[in-house]
Amino acid sequence: MSVTVRYAPSPTGKLHLGNARPAVLNWLYAKRSGGTFVFRLDDTDTARSTEAFAQGIETDLAWLGTTPDVKVRQSDRLALYDAARDRLIAEGRLYPAYETADELDRKRKRARAAGRPPIYDRAALELSDEDRTRLEAEGRKPHWRFKLDGRAVHFEDLIKGEQTVNTASMSDPVLIREDGSYLYTFTSVVDDIDLGITHVIRGEDHVSNTGTQIEIFEAMGAKAPVFGHHNLLTDADGQGLSKRLGSLSLEQLREDGYEPLAVAIMASITGTSLPVEPYESLEAIADKLDFSMISRGSARFDPAELATLNARMVHAMDFATVTDRIGAIDGLDEQVWMVLRENVSRLSELAPLYRELFIDARPVMADEDAEFIATARDLLPPEPWDESTWGAWTSVLKERTGRKGKALFLPLRLALTGKSEGPELKALLPLLGRKVSLDRLA
Ligand code: GLU
């Protein structure tokens, strides 16, 4: 059986790292099994969905490298849902209900007060045709509920193992709103059947939905797919990441210059038994990550871990990859990159660092170092220069001035770069060259 998975976000907001987890996990699963990755926009909630969010999600997926094989959006597929609706109505599995939100609220309160669980009492099932005609004549429009079997629904979760959801303790879910629009619980099942989805991989906040949806699959005469519910990314306090959406939106991470692969690694490897470390590519993660490695406990995300991982990846990056990622920077060649890379933790820092050292550097010189710097200038060796130049120059200086350690090196760094820290001077000096060095020491 060939595998087909889907990632199905609603375009009602920006994707953040927590939403990237199911995107990456689904992509990896498809890759690992030679299957198909479907991207489905769940945009039936027209009040909250926007085209800008939909575009943003596509941009984010392309950036992450989790490009889909197939793209669909629910708003293009309404005829399919209409047909499924008619079928379930004909079979008596969808029934109209007329209670207002207030009436439902009162019912729930009464149930609680009487010590009963606040589940829908199915009063609408008792309505006669006349009752319905009367209610509609009053101007009420029905919403439609799915009549649950009310049983223990068992399934073997790909990640969490055997699961049971008791639908007897649930209200019959509303699948169609008063205005005729469909709810995700329903459209998702219709699409999963139509698109031949074999595996539904999504967050564990959907486990009880799965009980309901398995019943809908069966009511539609279909076999339910395999389900896999992964742990959700949380912050250090165990809170959901959506609360911190701002700083961790994929758009923001992109603007902050993070590597998309570092973000994909964090999104998928956090909360598994694999170590968070550089991988060469998404394919390399797919080779390693078996879903049995996803922990059943929480997946705590530490922003410092992302920063460290990103820096490790940047430090090991070759020049061609850098140019691929951010384009050419005038004057910055491979040699310069090799000297600067240890000082760059995100590629967005590269151009400013280059400018700072090679173009805008303003030498800094304390009065008490003026004589020392003048001597240093006089002793600057003739070119050609290489990595041994710095050592040769500073040992003569040491001998001549009696300075050593910080007193020797810091004034030279400040004069040559204007900064108290930066790349190794023995590597930087030959790149600056004698002429520039003479100017800065003047
Ligand atoms: N649109 C749903 C959501 O964003 C999809 C869940 C699912 O994968 O079934 O939660």
Side-chain angles (χ1 to χ4, degrees), residues 410-432:
L410 186 59
L412 291 177
R413 178 178 286 284
L414 285 169
L416 288 168
T417 69
K419 301 263 159 214
S420 55
E421 316 184 318
E424 266 196 282
L425 286 167
K426 82 172 188 198
L428 187 64
L429 195 65
L431 296 181
L432 291 176

Side-chain angles (χ1 to χ4, degrees), residues 139-382:
R140 295 214 192 193
K141 286 219 166 71
H143 51 273
W144 295 76
R145 290 189 185 259
F146 178 73
K147 191 166 165 241
L148 288 167
D149 290 333
R151 61 179 166 100
V153 178
H154 300 289
F155 62 98
E156 185 62 30
D157 192 290
L158 188 65
I159 299 164
K160 295 165 80 72
E162 199 173 303
Q163 300 288 309
T164 301
V165 177
N166 184 5
T167 57
S169 64
M170 296 177 175
S171 296
D172 286 342
V174 175
L175 300 190
I176 307 175
R177 299 183 188 89
E178 261 178 38
D179 63 3
S181 65
Y182 295 109
L183 278 106
Y184 141 80
T185 314
F186 175 58
T187 50
S188 179
V189 172
V190 177
D191 282 331
D192 288 343
I193 297 170
D194 182 65
L195 299 166
I197 301 301
T198 57
H199 294 71
V200 170
I201 296 157
R202 58 186 180 185
E204 62 192 3
D205 49 337
H206 283 289
V207 170
S208 63
N209 257 343
T210 296
T212 310
Q213 289 184 324
I214 288 178
E215 286 202 12
I216 303 176
F217 274 103
E218 290 173 2
M220 293 287 302
K223 186 171 168 303
V226 175
F227 286 88
H229 295 93
H230 61 77
N231 49 8
L232 303 176
L233 292 185
T234 68
D235 64 16
D237 304 323
Q239 299 296 313
L241 285 190
S242 51
K243 304 230 168 63
R244 312 186 29 191
L245 198 144
S247 60
L248 294 173
S249 73
L250 297 189
E251 182 184 52
Q252 189 61 51
L253 293 169
R254 179 162 64 244
E255 276 170 19
D256 288 347
Y258 282 98
E259 292 310 299
L261 185 54
V263 173
I265 292 170
M266 292 309 296
S268 55
I269 302 288
T270 307
T272 73
S273 57
L274 289 175
V276 169
E277 62 186 11
Y279 290 76
E280 222 168 84
S281 59
L282 287 173
E283 284 79 2
I285 309 176
D287 282 345
K288 287 233 171 106
L289 182 64
D290 191 297
F291 276 31
S292 64
M293 297 170 173
I294 299 176
S295 144
R296 297 190 189 183
S298 65
R300 285 180 196 246
F301 166 73
D302 175 2
E305 217 175 359
L306 169 61
T308 309
L309 172 69
N310 201 85
R312 276 179 74 184
M313 289 170 64
V314 170
H315 296 167
M317 211 174 262
D318 61 32
F319 185 59
T321 311
V322 176
T323 328
D324 258 11
R325 278 271 292 113
I326 58 168
I329 298 173
D330 204 21
L332 196 155
D333 61 13
E334 178 159 15
Q335 262 188 315
V336 175
W337 165 245
M338 295 308 278
V339 173
L340 299 196
R341 68 178 184 177
E342 282 291 329
N343 291 78
V344 175
S345 22
R346 282 178 267 142
L347 286 182
S348 53
E349 297 166 0
L350 179 58
L353 180 66
Y354 174 72
R355 282 199 71 82
E356 211 172 273
L357 289 169
F358 289 89
I359 299 166
D360 300 332
R362 297 273 165 273
V364 170
M365 214 182 291
D367 289 347
E368 67 266 26
D369 293 323
E371 203 186 312
F372 168 70
I373 294 293
T375 313
R377 189 172 190 275
D378 289 344
L379 293 173
L380 205 57

Side-chain angles (χ1 to χ4, degrees), residues 5-9 15-30 37-38 61 64 66 159 199-206 228-233 264 266-268 291 294:
V5 295
R6 87 294 194 278
Y7 173 55
L15 291 191
H16 56 84
L17 198 74
N19 317 122
R21 185 165 179 79
V24 179
L25 289 178
N26 274 286
W27 190 94
L28 294 174
Y29 197 78
F37 176 55
V38 175
L61 291 187
L64 278 176
T66 53
I159 299 164
H199 294 71
V200 170
I201 296 157
R202 58 186 180 185
E204 62 192 3
D205 49 337
H206 283 289
H229 295 93
H230 61 77
N231 49 8
L232 303 176
L233 292 185
M266 292 309 296
S268 55
F291 276 31
I294 299 176

